[in-house]
Amino acid sequence: MAQRQHRRTGGARVGAAVVACVCLGTTGCAGSAQGSADGPGADPVQTMRRVADALVDAGSSKARTSMEMATGGTRVTIRGEGVYDYRRQLGRLKVVLPQDPAGTSRHRPITELLAPGALFMKNRGAGVPADKWVRVDTATLSDGNLVTGGATDPLAAAEVLRGTRSATYVGETEVAGAAVRHYRGTADLGVAARGASAANRGPLAAAAKGFATAEVPFDVYLDDEGRIRKIRHRFSFVSGERNGTVAVASTTLLYDFGVRTDVRLPASGDIYAGKIAEE
């Protein structure tokens, strides 16, 4: 899928392979959260632009991710689960790719470490030793790593909403047993980049240029403290491999706020520097 878009560096090719093997395998801003003050009577646009601050205030959480991709008559889903530290902007996810078309084998789960400006992956790339990590500079990715890793960075997902252009309050509902307020709207990635934290500014700006459109429809569900419990984005980009537009729906569930994360990045000697073979 994104292999042609991401060939500026070897690391970028590896990142693209996470998505490519799925699509082709079928062949600070500073501020304080308003919390419960951002109720149904508040301006929905301003409420959306503050949700990232509420996550930073929360400190950390567990996360479940789901990324659905559709092109032509093919639809596949990548799932992930892990933890994220919003203050340090560090996360760890175990990402599971779908079965092969015949359903006879599975890809090994990929361990991903999310960090400012970088994505580290283990079990990704043919020929990479089992104990080594592959590092991808997210500034080189035309989707800003909103799609490439098979999971959207939870804080980046929230910072997309800093670019909210329009939003409406839908009503009250529940997510995983928690009472939440449902909002629906559209964000502009270019605007989001200008208001984002320093670490996400570059990746979001890249995504604004790299996607088929900078406009991102979303649905978000906030708890009484203004924290995201569920967020769903709909991205689209042009696939060079399939000569068409690929629709991506990225869903992130957040829970167990304040959980211990203990995310540690690999030492330089544990990062693979050799050539990555495409699978």
Side-chain angles (χ1 to χ4, degrees):
M1 168 193 86
Q3 288 170 310
R4 295 183 182 177
Q5 296 175 330
H6 298 161
R7 285 185 176 171
R8 282 172 286 183
T9 67
R13 285 197 298 271
V14 177
V18 175
V19 175
C21 72
V22 174
C23 291
L24 303 181
T26 55
T27 4
C29 186
S32 176
Q34 293 289 320
S36 58
D38 285 334
D43 178 359
V45 171
Q46 294 305 316
T47 296
M48 295 300 95
R49 292 178 178 176
R50 286 191 289 262
V51 296
D53 300 324
L55 292 183
V56 174
D57 286 348
S60 64
S61 77
K62 292 183 180 179
R64 289 195 185 99
T65 66
S66 173
M67 187 168 286
E68 302 173 359
M69 303 183 186
T71 176
T74 301
R75 184 180 297 273
V76 293
T77 302
I78 306 172
R79 301 187 187 280
E81 186 170 359
V83 295
Y84 196 93
D85 184 325
Y86 301 100
R87 293 173 184 167
R88 298 173 63 207
Q89 297 190 21
L90 296 176
R92 181 179 61 250
L93 296 174
K94 179 173 286 187
V95 176
V96 179
L97 301 179
Q99 287 184 320
D100 291 331
T104 56
S105 66
R106 286 184 179 272
H107 300 276
R108 292 180 299 169
I110 300 170
T111 300
E112 295 187 355
L113 300 180
L114 309 171
L119 168 66
F120 298 87
M121 294 182 288
K122 183 177 281 189
N123 292 339
R124 180 62 259 165
V128 180
D131 62 341
K132 294 294 184 180
W133 294 83
V134 174
R135 183 187 187 280
V136 177
D137 181 354
T138 54
T140 67
L141 301 176
S142 61
D143 65 79
N145 196 36
L146 293 175
V147 172
T148 290
T152 303
D153 178 301
L155 185 59
E159 293 219 270
V160 167
L161 302 189
R162 294 197 191 277
T164 298
R165 291 287 199 183
S166 63
T168 58
Y169 172 66
V170 178
E172 296 183 355
T173 185
E174 286 190 1
V175 170
V180 294
R181 302 188 304 275
H182 178 193
Y183 295 84
R184 178 174 294 143
T186 302
D188 184 287
L189 289 169
V191 177
R194 293 193 289 273
S197 60
N200 284 322
R201 201 169 298 148
L204 290 178
K209 297 177 181 178
F211 280 127
T213 173
E215 292 187 353
V216 178
F218 65 82
D219 282 85
V220 64
Y221 302 80
L222 307 182
D223 64 17
D224 287 341
E225 296 183 47
R227 303 172 304 193
I228 294 174
R229 289 305 184 103
K230 178 179 178 180
I231 185 169
R232 181 178 176 88
H233 301 93
R234 288 172 291 283
F235 305 115
S236 63
F237 59 90
V238 177
S239 169
E241 299 291 342
R242 291 184 175 269
N243 298 317
T245 299
V246 178
V248 180
S250 176
T251 303
T252 303
L253 297 174
L254 304 178
Y255 58 103
D256 283 1
F257 290 96
V259 68
R260 180 182 175 87
T261 56
D262 192 28
V263 178
R264 300 180 183 181
L265 299 182
S268 58
D270 294 329
I271 299 175
Y272 183 67
K275 182 178 179 181
I276 312 300
E278 295 181 2
E279 295 181 328

PDB file of all heavy atoms in Angstrom, residues 34-61:
ATOM      1  N   GLN A  34     -10.791  20.960  30.981  1.00  0.00           N
ATOM      2  CA  GLN A  34     -11.941  21.546  31.635  1.00  0.00           C
ATOM      3  C   GLN A  34     -12.749  20.498  32.397  1.00  0.00           C
ATOM      4  O   GLN A  34     -13.582  20.822  33.218  1.00  0.00           O
ATOM      5  CB  GLN A  34     -12.849  22.216  30.584  1.00  0.00           C
ATOM      6  CG  GLN A  34     -12.196  23.434  29.937  1.00  0.00           C
ATOM      7  CD  GLN A  34     -12.092  24.587  30.891  1.00  0.00           C
ATOM      8  OE1 GLN A  34     -13.003  24.826  31.659  1.00  0.00           O
ATOM      9  NE2 GLN A  34     -10.976  25.290  30.861  1.00  0.00           N
ATOM     10  N   GLY A  35     -12.507  19.207  32.086  1.00  0.00           N
ATOM     11  CA  GLY A  35     -13.236  18.150  32.790  1.00  0.00           C
ATOM     12  C   GLY A  35     -14.724  18.265  32.582  1.00  0.00           C
ATOM     13  O   GLY A  35     -15.209  18.494  31.488  1.00  0.00           O
ATOM     14  N   SER A  36     -15.476  18.130  33.681  1.00  0.00           N
ATOM     15  CA  SER A  36     -16.928  18.096  33.588  1.00  0.00           C
ATOM     16  C   SER A  36     -17.514  19.430  33.155  1.00  0.00           C
ATOM     17  O   SER A  36     -18.676  19.512  32.820  1.00  0.00           O
ATOM     18  CB  SER A  36     -17.511  17.689  34.947  1.00  0.00           C
ATOM     19  OG  SER A  36     -17.102  18.594  35.949  1.00  0.00           O
ATOM     20  N   ALA A  37     -16.685  20.500  33.156  1.00  0.00           N
ATOM     21  CA  ALA A  37     -17.190  21.796  32.702  1.00  0.00           C
ATOM     22  C   ALA A  37     -17.537  21.758  31.226  1.00  0.00           C
ATOM     23  O   ALA A  37     -18.348  22.539  30.744  1.00  0.00           O
ATOM     24  CB  ALA A  37     -16.155  22.887  32.973  1.00  0.00           C
ATOM     25  N   ASP A  38     -16.898  20.853  30.486  1.00  0.00           N
ATOM     26  CA  ASP A  38     -17.179  20.728  29.067  1.00  0.00           C
ATOM     27  C   ASP A  38     -18.372  19.809  28.867  1.00  0.00           C
ATOM     28  O   ASP A  38     -18.270  18.738  28.277  1.00  0.00           O
ATOM     29  CB  ASP A  38     -15.961  20.178  28.327  1.00  0.00           C
ATOM     30  CG  ASP A  38     -14.878  21.231  28.156  1.00  0.00           C
ATOM     31  OD1 ASP A  38     -15.224  22.424  28.148  1.00  0.00           O
ATOM     32  OD2 ASP A  38     -13.710  20.860  28.038  1.00  0.00           O
ATOM     33  N   GLY A  39     -19.507  20.193  29.370  1.00  0.00           N
ATOM     34  CA  GLY A  39     -20.717  19.393  29.250  1.00  0.00           C
ATOM     35  C   GLY A  39     -21.458  19.687  27.966  1.00  0.00           C
ATOM     36  O   GLY A  39     -20.982  20.418  27.093  1.00  0.00           O
ATOM     37  N   PRO A  40     -22.661  19.127  27.819  1.00  0.00           N
ATOM     38  CA  PRO A  40     -23.448  19.293  26.601  1.00  0.00           C
ATOM     39  C   PRO A  40     -23.718  20.747  26.249  1.00  0.00           C
ATOM     40  O   PRO A  40     -23.892  21.073  25.083  1.00  0.00           O
ATOM     41  CB  PRO A  40     -24.748  18.544  26.926  1.00  0.00           C
ATOM     42  CG  PRO A  40     -24.358  17.550  27.968  1.00  0.00           C
ATOM     43  CD  PRO A  40     -23.309  18.230  28.795  1.00  0.00           C
ATOM     44  N   GLY A  41     -23.739  21.643  27.248  1.00  0.00           N
ATOM     45  CA  GLY A  41     -24.018  23.045  26.956  1.00  0.00           C
ATOM     46  C   GLY A  41     -22.823  23.828  26.467  1.00  0.00           C
ATOM     47  O   GLY A  41     -22.964  24.964  26.009  1.00  0.00           O
ATOM     48  N   ALA A  42     -21.616  23.242  26.556  1.00  0.00           N
ATOM     49  CA  ALA A  42     -20.410  23.939  26.119  1.00  0.00           C
ATOM     50  C   ALA A  42     -20.278  23.882  24.599  1.00  0.00           C
ATOM     51  O   ALA A  42     -20.927  23.075  23.931  1.00  0.00           O
ATOM     52  CB  ALA A  42     -19.190  23.309  26.776  1.00  0.00           C
ATOM     53  N   ASP A  43     -19.424  24.750  24.061  1.00  0.00           N
ATOM     54  CA  ASP A  43     -19.164  24.774  22.627  1.00  0.00           C
ATOM     55  C   ASP A  43     -18.458  23.470  22.241  1.00  0.00           C
ATOM     56  O   ASP A  43     -17.330  23.218  22.691  1.00  0.00           O
ATOM     57  CB  ASP A  43     -18.285  25.972  22.288  1.00  0.00           C
ATOM     58  CG  ASP A  43     -17.935  26.048  20.809  1.00  0.00           C
ATOM     59  OD1 ASP A  43     -18.353  25.164  20.036  1.00  0.00           O
ATOM     60  OD2 ASP A  43     -17.223  27.005  20.432  1.00  0.00           O
ATOM     61  N   PRO A  44     -19.066  22.606  21.425  1.00  0.00           N
ATOM     62  CA  PRO A  44     -18.445  21.320  21.086  1.00  0.00           C
ATOM     63  C   PRO A  44     -17.077  21.465  20.430  1.00  0.00           C
ATOM     64  O   PRO A  44     -16.186  20.647  20.682  1.00  0.00           O
ATOM     65  CB  PRO A  44     -19.458  20.685  20.128  1.00  0.00           C
ATOM     66  CG  PRO A  44     -20.762  21.323  20.463  1.00  0.00           C
ATOM     67  CD  PRO A  44     -20.410  22.733  20.827  1.00  0.00           C
ATOM     68  N   VAL A  45     -16.885  22.479  19.601  1.00  0.00           N
ATOM     69  CA  VAL A  45     -15.594  22.656  18.933  1.00  0.00           C
ATOM     70  C   VAL A  45     -14.499  22.913  19.959  1.00  0.00           C
ATOM     71  O   VAL A  45     -13.420  22.305  19.921  1.00  0.00           O
ATOM     72  CB  VAL A  45     -15.661  23.795  17.901  1.00  0.00           C
ATOM     73  CG1 VAL A  45     -14.257  24.122  17.370  1.00  0.00           C
ATOM     74  CG2 VAL A  45     -16.583  23.419  16.743  1.00  0.00           C
ATOM     75  N   GLN A  46     -14.760  23.815  20.901  1.00  0.00           N
ATOM     76  CA  GLN A  46     -13.763  24.113  21.923  1.00  0.00           C
ATOM     77  C   GLN A  46     -13.533  22.910  22.836  1.00  0.00           C
ATOM     78  O   GLN A  46     -12.400  22.657  23.281  1.00  0.00           O
ATOM     79  CB  GLN A  46     -14.197  25.329  22.740  1.00  0.00           C
ATOM     80  CG  GLN A  46     -14.243  26.627  21.931  1.00  0.00           C
ATOM     81  CD  GLN A  46     -12.910  26.922  21.245  1.00  0.00           C
ATOM     82  OE1 GLN A  46     -11.850  26.786  21.854  1.00  0.00           O
ATOM     83  NE2 GLN A  46     -12.972  27.322  19.979  1.00  0.00           N
ATOM     84  N   THR A  47     -14.582  22.153  23.116  1.00  0.00           N
ATOM     85  CA  THR A  47     -14.432  20.948  23.920  1.00  0.00           C
ATOM     86  C   THR A  47     -13.501  19.965  23.235  1.00  0.00           C
ATOM     87  O   THR A  47     -12.608  19.374  23.870  1.00  0.00           O
ATOM     88  CB  THR A  47     -15.808  20.288  24.145  1.00  0.00           C
ATOM     89  OG1 THR A  47     -16.637  21.174  24.903  1.00  0.00           O
ATOM     90  CG2 THR A  47     -15.668  18.973  24.909  1.00  0.00           C
ATOM     91  N   MET A  48     -13.663  19.769  21.925  1.00  0.00           N
ATOM     92  CA  MET A  48     -12.819  18.839  21.189  1.00  0.00           C
ATOM     93  C   MET A  48     -11.363  19.292  21.196  1.00  0.00           C
ATOM     94  O   MET A  48     -10.445  18.470  21.309  1.00  0.00           O
ATOM     95  CB  MET A  48     -13.304  18.720  19.734  1.00  0.00           C
ATOM     96  CG  MET A  48     -14.690  18.098  19.567  1.00  0.00           C
ATOM     97  SD  MET A  48     -14.822  16.419  20.225  1.00  0.00           S
ATOM     98  CE  MET A  48     -15.471  16.719  21.868  1.00  0.00           C
ATOM     99  N   ARG A  49     -11.131  20.570  21.086  1.00  0.00           N
ATOM    100  CA  ARG A  49      -9.759  21.069  21.027  1.00  0.00           C
ATOM    101  C   ARG A  49      -9.017  20.933  22.345  1.00  0.00           C
ATOM    102  O   ARG A  49      -7.798  21.067  22.389  1.00  0.00           O
ATOM    103  CB  ARG A  49      -9.769  22.529  20.566  1.00  0.00           C
ATOM    104  CG  ARG A  49     -10.203  22.687  19.108  1.00  0.00           C
ATOM    105  CD  ARG A  49     -10.254  24.138  18.677  1.00  0.00           C
ATOM    106  NE  ARG A  49     -10.618  24.247  17.256  1.00  0.00           N
ATOM    107  CZ  ARG A  49     -10.806  25.393  16.616  1.00  0.00           C
ATOM    108  NH1 ARG A  49     -10.653  26.550  17.280  1.00  0.00           N
ATOM    109  NH2 ARG A  49     -11.123  25.402  15.338  1.00  0.00           N
ATOM    110  N   ARG A  50      -9.752  20.622  23.421  1.00  0.00           N
ATOM    111  CA  ARG A  50      -9.122  20.490  24.741  1.00  0.00           C
ATOM    112  C   ARG A  50      -8.960  19.049  25.199  1.00  0.00           C
ATOM    113  O   ARG A  50      -8.366  18.812  26.254  1.00  0.00           O
ATOM    114  CB  ARG A  50      -9.939  21.252  25.787  1.00  0.00           C
ATOM    115  CG  ARG A  50      -9.800  22.760  25.705  1.00  0.00           C
ATOM    116  CD  ARG A  50     -10.417  23.416  26.934  1.00  0.00           C
ATOM    117  NE  ARG A  50     -11.863  23.338  26.939  1.00  0.00           N
ATOM    118  CZ  ARG A  50     -12.679  24.311  26.537  1.00  0.00           C
ATOM    119  NH1 ARG A  50     -12.165  25.442  26.081  1.00  0.00           N
ATOM    120  NH2 ARG A  50     -13.991  24.168  26.591  1.00  0.00           N
ATOM    121  N   VAL A  51      -9.456  18.081  24.450  1.00  0.00           N
ATOM    122  CA  VAL A  51      -9.465  16.714  24.976  1.00  0.00           C
ATOM    123  C   VAL A  51      -8.061  16.144  25.168  1.00  0.00           C
ATOM    124  O   VAL A  51      -7.844  15.330  26.072  1.00  0.00           O
ATOM    125  CB  VAL A  51     -10.315  15.775  24.096  1.00  0.00           C
ATOM    126  CG1 VAL A  51     -11.772  16.180  24.111  1.00  0.00           C
ATOM    127  CG2 VAL A  51      -9.785  15.697  22.679  1.00  0.00           C
ATOM    128  N   ALA A  52      -7.099  16.555  24.347  1.00  0.00           N
ATOM    129  CA  ALA A  52      -5.736  16.051  24.528  1.00  0.00           C
ATOM    130  C   ALA A  52      -5.175  16.485  25.876  1.00  0.00           C
ATOM    131  O   ALA A  52      -4.422  15.738  26.519  1.00  0.00           O
ATOM    132  CB  ALA A  52      -4.841  16.541  23.389  1.00  0.00           C
ATOM    133  N   ASP A  53      -5.541  17.685  26.321  1.00  0.00           N
ATOM    134  CA  ASP A  53      -5.065  18.168  27.614  1.00  0.00           C
ATOM    135  C   ASP A  53      -5.591  17.303  28.752  1.00  0.00           C
ATOM    136  O   ASP A  53      -4.903  17.075  29.754  1.00  0.00           O
ATOM    137  CB  ASP A  53      -5.500  19.623  27.827  1.00  0.00           C
ATOM    138  CG  ASP A  53      -4.948  20.564  26.769  1.00  0.00           C
ATOM    139  OD1 ASP A  53      -3.797  20.341  26.342  1.00  0.00           O
ATOM    140  OD2 ASP A  53      -5.655  21.500  26.371  1.00  0.00           O
ATOM    141  N   ALA A  54      -6.814  16.803  28.618  1.00  0.00           N
ATOM    142  CA  ALA A  54      -7.396  15.955  29.659  1.00  0.00           C
ATOM    143  C   ALA A  54      -6.620  14.648  29.776  1.00  0.00           C
ATOM    144  O   ALA A  54      -6.458  14.111  30.874  1.00  0.00           O
ATOM    145  CB  ALA A  54      -8.869  15.677  29.355  1.00  0.00           C
ATOM    146  N   LEU A  55      -6.114  14.124  28.664  1.00  0.00           N
ATOM    147  CA  LEU A  55      -5.321  12.903  28.719  1.00  0.00           C
ATOM    148  C   LEU A  55      -3.977  13.156  29.397  1.00  0.00           C
ATOM    149  O   LEU A  55      -3.498  12.332  30.188  1.00  0.00           O
ATOM    150  CB  LEU A  55      -5.101  12.345  27.310  1.00  0.00           C
ATOM    151  CG  LEU A  55      -6.344  11.810  26.594  1.00  0.00           C
ATOM    152  CD1 LEU A  55      -5.956  11.226  25.243  1.00  0.00           C
ATOM    153  CD2 LEU A  55      -7.071  10.765  27.427  1.00  0.00           C
ATOM    154  N   VAL A  56      -3.367  14.283  29.090  1.00  0.00           N
ATOM    155  CA  VAL A  56      -2.101  14.628  29.749  1.00  0.00           C
ATOM    156  C   VAL A  56      -2.316  14.752  31.250  1.00  0.00           C
ATOM    157  O   VAL A  56      -1.509  14.281  32.061  1.00  0.00           O
ATOM    158  CB  VAL A  56      -1.519  15.922  29.160  1.00  0.00           C
ATOM    159  CG1 VAL A  56      -0.281  16.358  29.944  1.00  0.00           C
ATOM    160  CG2 VAL A  56      -1.160  15.726  27.688  1.00  0.00           C
ATOM    161  N   ASP A  57      -3.427  15.375  31.646  1.00  0.00           N
ATOM    162  CA  ASP A  57      -3.748  15.487  33.070  1.00  0.00           C
ATOM    163  C   ASP A  57      -3.947  14.110  33.700  1.00  0.00           C
ATOM    164  O   ASP A  57      -3.604  13.877  34.862  1.00  0.00           O
ATOM    165  CB  ASP A  57      -5.010  16.330  33.264  1.00  0.00           C
ATOM    166  CG  ASP A  57      -4.762  17.812  33.031  1.00  0.00           C
ATOM    167  OD1 ASP A  57      -3.576  18.210  32.937  1.00  0.00           O
ATOM    168  OD2 ASP A  57      -5.744  18.565  32.935  1.00  0.00           O
ATOM    169  N   ALA A  58      -4.508  13.172  32.935  1.00  0.00           N
ATOM    170  CA  ALA A  58      -4.758  11.820  33.455  1.00  0.00           C
ATOM    171  C   ALA A  58      -3.464  11.047  33.658  1.00  0.00           C
ATOM    172  O   ALA A  58      -3.407  10.126  34.469  1.00  0.00           O
ATOM    173  CB  ALA A  58      -5.676  11.056  32.505  1.00  0.00           C
ATOM    174  N   GLY A  59      -2.442  11.382  32.905  1.00  0.00           N
ATOM    175  CA  GLY A  59      -1.130  10.767  33.065  1.00  0.00           C
ATOM    176  C   GLY A  59      -0.876   9.557  32.201  1.00  0.00           C
ATOM    177  O   GLY A  59       0.099   9.513  31.460  1.00  0.00           O
ATOM    178  N   SER A  60      -1.739   8.555  32.274  1.00  0.00           N
ATOM    179  CA  SER A  60      -1.506   7.320  31.535  1.00  0.00           C
ATOM    180  C   SER A  60      -2.807   6.530  31.436  1.00  0.00           C
ATOM    181  O   SER A  60      -3.796   6.845  32.099  1.00  0.00           O
ATOM    182  CB  SER A  60      -0.443   6.465  32.232  1.00  0.00           C
ATOM    183  OG  SER A  60      -0.915   6.056  33.511  1.00  0.00           O
ATOM    184  N   SER A  61      -2.785   5.487  30.618  1.00  0.00           N
ATOM    185  CA  SER A  61      -3.938   4.589  30.524  1.00  0.00           C
ATOM    186  C   SER A  61      -3.538   3.333  29.767  1.00  0.00           C
ATOM    187  O   SER A  61      -2.475   3.255  29.157  1.00  0.00           O
ATOM    188  CB  SER A  61      -5.110   5.270  29.795  1.00  0.00           C
ATOM    189  OG  SER A  61      -4.891   5.290  28.393  1.00  0.00           O
TER     190      SER A  61
END
